[in-house]
């Protein structure tokens, strides 16, 4: 039996029907769980002697609204976590979709793995996913006055406001974006004798 089959069986034995989907592809196991079960499942993944996922190595937000060329029909936002078990030498991807697309919420796992702290702040900042239970959920990459979440698929490419330093006021100011959409047509220069020796 392969390592991935052993991991899949251990996951099914520990988590049972709380696994909504289990997929083995490209040498990795991915499970999907409901947001309501997410916190307890994550705690069991760490504490179970048969699984021993002692390290959270990545957590990110994902906006599935344009997934599959816009054919996605499920929930829009998900928290995706990559876990590592050093003692068992295996990895796992866990995905939990936020139940409400208008206000995406997935429980924080910072009480289980402290390394989730900045990852959850990044997912909050860039996707607007709220993580209840996080002690310091605030923006980490964008400016404090930034409006919106720039990794959402519907965020305008040019943004809403631009920031610049105003020498008259001696401070940074925000003003509405004034970028006009335009089409660039490359200029092609052809010389009549180009390439002739």
């Amino acid at each position: 039996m392969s390592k991935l089959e052993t991991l899949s069986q251990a996951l099914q034995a520990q988590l049972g029907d709380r696994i909504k989907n289990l997929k083995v592809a490209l040498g990795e196991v991915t499970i999907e769980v409901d947001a309501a079960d997410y916190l307890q499942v994550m705690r069991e993944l760490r504490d179970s002697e048969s699984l021993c996922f002692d390290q959270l190595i990545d957590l990110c937000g994902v906006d599935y609204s344009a997934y599959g060329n816009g054919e996605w029909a499920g929930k829009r936002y998900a928290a995706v976590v990559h876990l590592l078990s050093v003692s068992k030498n295996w990895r796992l991807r866990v995905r939990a979709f936020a139940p409400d697309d208008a206000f995406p919420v997935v429980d924080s796992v910072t009480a289980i793995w402290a390394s989730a702290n900045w990852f959850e702040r990044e997912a909050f900042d860039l996707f607007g996913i709220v993580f209840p239970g996080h002690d310091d959920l605030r923006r980490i990459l964008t400016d404090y006055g930034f409006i919106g979440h720039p990794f959402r698929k519907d965020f305008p490419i040019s943004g809403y406001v631009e920031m610049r330093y105003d020498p008259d006021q001696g401070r940074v100011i925000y003003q509405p974006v004034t970028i006009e959409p335009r089409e660039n047509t490359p200029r092609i220069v052809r010389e009549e004798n180009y390439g002739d020796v």
Side-chain angles (χ1 to χ4, degrees):
M1 182 181 311
S2 75
K3 183 184 285 189
L4 296 179
E5 291 172 336
T6 303
L7 174 57
S8 298
Q9 288 180 357
L11 288 166
Q12 290 171 334
Q14 179 69 39
L15 303 175
D17 62 355
R18 289 179 290 172
I19 298 175
K20 298 303 173 198
N21 188 10
L22 187 147
K23 182 177 180 181
V24 178
L26 304 172
E28 296 182 337
V29 176
T30 302
I31 63 170
E32 185 179 319
V33 298
D34 283 337
D37 297 327
Y38 174 71
L39 191 59
Q40 182 58 34
V41 163
M42 297 304 262
R43 189 170 280 113
E44 289 181 35
L45 289 172
R46 182 196 64 185
D47 296 341
S48 168
E49 291 183 16
S50 63
L51 297 170
C52 299
F53 286 102
D54 48 359
Q55 292 186 14
L56 181 144
I57 55 176
D58 189 25
L59 183 150
C60 65
V62 180
D63 179 354
Y64 282 92
S65 63
Y67 186 77
N69 295 322
E71 297 175 10
W72 184 258
K75 298 291 183 190
R76 180 173 176 178
Y77 300 104
V80 179
V81 180
H82 292 119
L83 301 175
L84 171 67
S85 171
V86 175
S87 61
K88 302 284 187 180
N89 191 26
W90 53 32
R91 295 171 185 262
L92 175 67
R93 180 183 299 120
V94 181
R95 180 173 52 196
F97 282 93
D100 183 4
D101 291 345
F103 187 69
V105 176
V106 177
D107 287 324
S108 174
V109 293
T110 54
I112 302 170
W113 296 284
S115 61
N117 182 1
W118 283 16
F119 293 126
E120 288 180 352
R121 285 181 60 189
E122 180 184 54
F124 165 71
D125 189 5
L126 301 178
F127 292 95
I129 300 171
V130 177
F131 294 91
H134 193 290
D135 292 337
D136 188 21
L137 194 62
R138 59 190 163 102
R139 292 191 181 272
I140 192 169
L141 295 172
T142 60
D143 188 61
Y144 293 116
F146 192 86
I147 298 169
H149 304 284
F151 278 16
R152 288 186 173 188
K153 300 293 183 187
D154 56 0
F155 190 82
I157 293 174
S158 62
Y160 297 111
V161 295
E162 61 188 1
M163 178 179 71
R164 68 175 180 82
Y165 179 77
D166 187 332
D168 296 333
Q169 296 182 33
R171 65 182 182 93
V172 172
I173 63 168
Y174 294 90
Q175 61 190 44
V177 171
T178 57
I179 299 171
E180 296 289 327
R182 61 188 171 117
E183 183 177 323
N184 288 336
T185 305
R187 192 178 117 198
I188 299 172
V189 177
R190 293 204 192 331
E191 297 177 13
E192 292 192 24
N193 298 329
Y194 181 77
D196 291 345
V197 178

